[in-house]
Amino acid sequence: IYVACGPLGGIHSALVHTTAEAVFVCSCDMPYLSVEVVRKILRHSTLREVTFGNDGVHLHPLLGIYPKCILPIIQAELDQGSRKVLACISKVPHTIVDLSGFEHQLRNVNTTHDYNQQAIAVARC
């Protein structure tokens, strides 16, 4: 719907097209994510606020639940030219789930180097 607006545009599109009260968002560069992490986020969600993870060092707004009720705020952000997911989240009710201990699953893998570094880290676990 909003062309070339990054993840926020994608979240907007998902919420527009879903008949559910919320969508689960996961960035495509987290290949080691486990069902356990997803379940932990789901357990903390009320489906009336954005619920996303924090590994103790980094926030992970692209790993979480986005309720349909925030659609007008996302649309207003996009209409104003904002593409920042965290800026949008700061304007809505949200819960941050502690995902400490799952850092190796939350690392982004975007290059061959990232993949090799992650493979080494996983082998050490």
Side-chain angles (χ1 to χ4, degrees), residues 10 16 26 48 58 93-94 124:
V16 165
C26 177
R48 290 184 300 277
H58 300 101
H94 59 273
R124 290 182 184 152

Side-chain angles (χ1 to χ4, degrees), residues 3 9 15-16 29 35 50 65 67 72 76 79 90-91 95 117 124:
V3 178
L15 290 171
V16 165
D29 58 0
V35 171
V50 175
I65 299 170
D79 286 343
S90 72
K91 297 178 180 179
T95 296
Q117 292 301 109
R124 290 182 184 152

